[in-house]
């Protein structure tokens, strides 16, 4: 064990309070997993996990506000005014069902058994209230080497739970860690095991990967076959670095368009639906996928696209084609006119004898002309132009 008093001070007061109250109740308790890893790396943990010898029922008695988030696995969320933490009773996992979840869990009295069920050595460390670290699998040494290594036999650990393979790649992208040789070999060998996972869980890891500073790691997921249940193509490479310029809210639709352009999916929207993204994201991806086939980085082309597609569609297609920043600048400048901005409306065209979808098409043509500076946005200019375009058709 290594003592590091300075570290315990980095644990937020409310997490220390949770550990302290469990200790006062007679139960060992530790911060554990990713939060300890991140503290040692000097990163801000995303969430706080506490592991304790206290059974779930005792945890619920010791705190006023708790939610039994994973009662079957002994997890209780403890809510204090300043924040919450997941408190889990020491456990080891029973045999695994479906390569996804253990059939049963067994509560154990020792911290080291609990650490042994965790996925990677750097995620298998615990820290007590005094900052003492328990590290039975060499997690600290792997942190220094910036290496992700399975706890135990990688093939066994990935067969138990296929999500760990995606977590491994996602963590390597977020932390800029390499994956240890045997761990990586097992991922390559067992990648097809991911077919048992739900779209939501795959999406979460993929999304976090493309939001990381190394979105190209998603390309390794494709290469190893970790996304094969969702892709139909040959595993082509794609210009993943383009995702860096795109805001997080557009990353999944842009990723889907990249995959459509690389021939990995028939339809970008379909890919997102299978990954259980929102209907809005899927619709956006389909529209942007269609636009990407005809859009170029010429300023005039982008302004024309802005005149007849909504802004997110143009930004999404531009993001996939590698000119997100230019499209965003042009969208902000507003030097384009949409059919809705025109000085004439569908009713005017109806009065000229047009019906149905022809009206929308002609309004779009007029908006293009105004955007290109070929016509002024005034009724007196647009009505004759509309008549002329109608007679040209
Ligand atoms: P982050 O919070 O940044 O996503 P994390 O490693 O903390 O990363 P969590 O989902 O918060 O991920 O999980 C907390 C800890 O629980 C992990 O560090 C690891 O010890 C353990 N853990 C999570 N998922 C698994 C899994 N599928 N198999 C084994 N252990 C896991
Ligand atoms: Mg965490």
């Amino acid at each position: 064990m290594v003592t590091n008093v300075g570290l315990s001070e980095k644990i937020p007061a409310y997490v220390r309070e949770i550990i302290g109250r469990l200790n006062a109740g007679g139960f060992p308790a530790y911060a554990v997993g990713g939060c300890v890893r991140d503290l040692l790396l000097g990163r801000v943990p995303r969430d706080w996990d506490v592991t304790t010898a206290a059974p779930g029922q005792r945890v619920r008695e010791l705190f006023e506000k708790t939610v039994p988030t994973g009662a079957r696995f002994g997890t209780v969320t403890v809510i204090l005014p300043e924040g919450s933490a997941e408190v889990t009773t020491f456990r080891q996992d029973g045999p695994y069902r479906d390569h996804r979840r253990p059939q049963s869990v067994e509560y154990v009295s020792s911290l080291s058994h609990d650490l042994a069920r965790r996925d990677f050595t750097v995620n298998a460390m615990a820290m007590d209230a005094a900052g003492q670290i328990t590290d039975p699998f060499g997690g600290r040494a792997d942190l220094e080497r910036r290496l992700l290594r399975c706890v135990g036999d990688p093939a066994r650990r990935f067969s138990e739970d296929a999500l760990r393979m995606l977590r491994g790649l996602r963590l390597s992208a977020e932390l800029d860690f390499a994956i240890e040789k045997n761990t990586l070999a097992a991922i390559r060998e067992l990648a097809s095991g991911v077919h048992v996972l739900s779209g939501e869980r795959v999406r979460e890891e993929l999304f976090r990967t493309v939001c990381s500073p190394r979105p190209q790691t998603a390309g390794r997921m494709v290469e190893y076959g970790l996304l094969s249940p969702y892709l139909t193509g040959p595993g082509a490479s794609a210009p993943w670095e383009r995702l860096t310029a795109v805001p997080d809210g557009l990353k999944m639709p842009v990723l889907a368009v990249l995959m459509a352009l690389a021939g990995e999916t028939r339809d970008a929207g379909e890919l997102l639906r299978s990954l259980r993204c929102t209907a809005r994201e899927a619709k956006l991806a389909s529209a942007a996928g269609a636009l990407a086939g005809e859009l170029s980085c010429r300023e005039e082309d982008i302004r024309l696209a802005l005149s007849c597609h909504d802004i997110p569609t143009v930004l999404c297609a531009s993001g996939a084609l590698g000119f997100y920043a230019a499209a965003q600048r042009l969208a902000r400048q507003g030097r384009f006119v949409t059919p809705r901005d025109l000085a004439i409306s569908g009713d005017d065209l109806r009065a000229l004898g047009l019906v149905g979808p022809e009206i929308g098409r002609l309004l779009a043509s007029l908006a293009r002309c105004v955007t290109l500076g070929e016509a002024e946005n005034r009724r007196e200019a647009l009505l004759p132009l509309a008549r002329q375009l109608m007679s040209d058709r």
Side-chain angles (χ1 to χ4, degrees):
M1 284 209 234
V2 181
T3 306
N4 195 330
V5 178
L7 271 183
S8 72
E9 282 156 19
K10 297 206 174 117
I11 304 181
Y14 73 89
V15 179
R16 261 185 283 159
E17 156 95 28
I18 292 172
I19 294 175
R21 234 193 273 180
L22 288 162
N23 290 162
F27 301 104
Y30 308 82
V32 70
C35 57
V36 175
R37 171 201 76 213
D38 288 343
L39 273 195
L40 290 169
L41 285 172
R43 292 168 62 95
V44 180
R46 249 169 70 93
D47 43 25
W48 290 88
D49 291 297
V50 170
T51 187
T52 180
Q57 187 49 41
R58 290 293 288 132
V59 177
R60 296 181 67 183
E61 286 161 11
L62 282 168
F63 299 91
E64 294 77 57
K65 211 165 163 194
T66 59
V67 182
T69 24
R72 223 159 66 76
F73 300 119
T75 304
V76 173
T77 302
V78 172
I79 303 166
L80 295 187
E82 307 77 35
S84 62
E86 300 244 302
V87 178
T88 303
T89 309
F90 294 159
R91 60 168 229 233
Q92 65 190 13
D93 297 334
Y96 273 72
R97 194 184 50 189
D98 318 335
H99 310 293
R100 275 190 297 187
R101 58 179 84 89
Q103 227 156 4
S104 56
V105 299
E106 186 190 330
Y107 297 109
V108 290
S109 57
S110 96
L111 171 65
S112 56
H113 280 107
D114 182 87
L115 293 175
R117 74 173 168 87
R118 294 172 184 273
D119 47 8
F120 301 103
T121 61
V122 296
N123 287 347
M125 292 183 275
M127 177 157 62
D128 70 11
Q132 277 202 76
I133 303 239
T134 306
D135 173 20
F137 303 104
R140 257 191 126 152
D142 283 338
L143 271 189
E144 260 147 48
R145 297 187 197 108
R146 305 187 77 79
L147 210 52
L148 284 167
R149 179 199 311 270
C150 274
V151 172
D153 172 39
R156 212 191 95 215
R157 304 311 310 284
F158 294 142
S159 316
E160 286 170 354
D161 179 0
L163 187 73
R164 291 171 185 155
M165 298 187 269
L166 286 159
R167 278 177 53 86
L169 280 153
R170 184 261 290 179
L171 285 164
S172 81
E174 288 182 334
L175 304 172
D176 193 15
F177 275 30
I179 299 178
E180 181 272 332
K181 194 162 85 350
N182 295 323
T183 300
L184 185 61
I187 292 179
R188 299 191 82 137
E189 188 190 332
L190 298 167
S192 64
V194 293
H195 72 272
V196 298
L197 300 173
S198 69
E200 287 88 340
R201 297 181 89 193
V202 174
R203 185 208 45 230
E204 175 67 14
E205 300 303 329
L206 180 58
F207 177 64
R208 291 191 55 187
T209 302
V210 293
C211 291
S212 79
R214 278 157 285 276
Q216 62 276 17
T217 300
R220 294 177 66 196
M221 291 178 169
V222 176
E223 182 193 335
Y224 301 156
L226 291 168
L227 302 178
S228 56
Y230 305 92
L231 301 175
T232 51
S237 61
W240 298 97
E241 69 290 347
R242 291 179 184 172
L243 281 157
T244 310
V246 170
D248 288 358
L250 272 186
K251 288 209 169 114
M252 290 307 282
V254 169
L255 168 134
V257 176
L258 280 176
M259 290 294 85
L261 292 173
E264 291 286 347
T265 179
R266 270 190 313 280
D267 177 82
E270 208 175 286
L271 172 60
L272 294 195
R273 271 187 291 277
S274 66
L275 285 167
R276 301 280 176 267
C277 291
T278 63
R280 197 194 70 81
E281 285 174 307
K283 217 171 131 213
L284 173 59
S286 286
L291 174 61
E294 58 195 44
L295 188 62
S296 87
C297 63
R298 285 176 53 225
E299 185 171 321
E300 196 174 274
D301 260 9
I302 299 172
R303 280 176 41 228
L304 279 182
L306 285 164
S307 79
C308 55
H309 296 274
D310 59 27
I311 292 176
T313 302
V314 179
L315 292 180
C316 180
S318 303
L321 294 169
F323 42 87
Y324 179 83
Q328 193 195 33
R329 178 172 48 79
L330 292 168
R332 286 213 179 114
Q333 280 172 357
R335 282 172 42 230
F336 58 89
V337 169
T338 71
R340 246 174 298 154
D341 305 324
L342 289 171
I344 62 171
S345 69
D347 287 342
D348 295 307
L349 299 187
R350 215 167 280 122
L352 294 179
L354 273 193
V355 288
E358 289 182 328
I359 296 178
R361 277 200 286 273
L362 191 57
L363 285 172
S365 300
L366 291 169
R368 288 165 66 94
C369 291
V370 175
T371 297
L372 288 177
E374 291 167 359
E376 282 184 61
N377 194 8
R378 292 185 298 115
R379 283 182 70 78
E380 310 78 74
L382 292 177
L383 285 172
L385 179 59
R387 274 193 213 98
Q388 187 196 324
L389 290 173
M390 281 166 66
S391 65
D392 288 352
R393 281 175 183 223

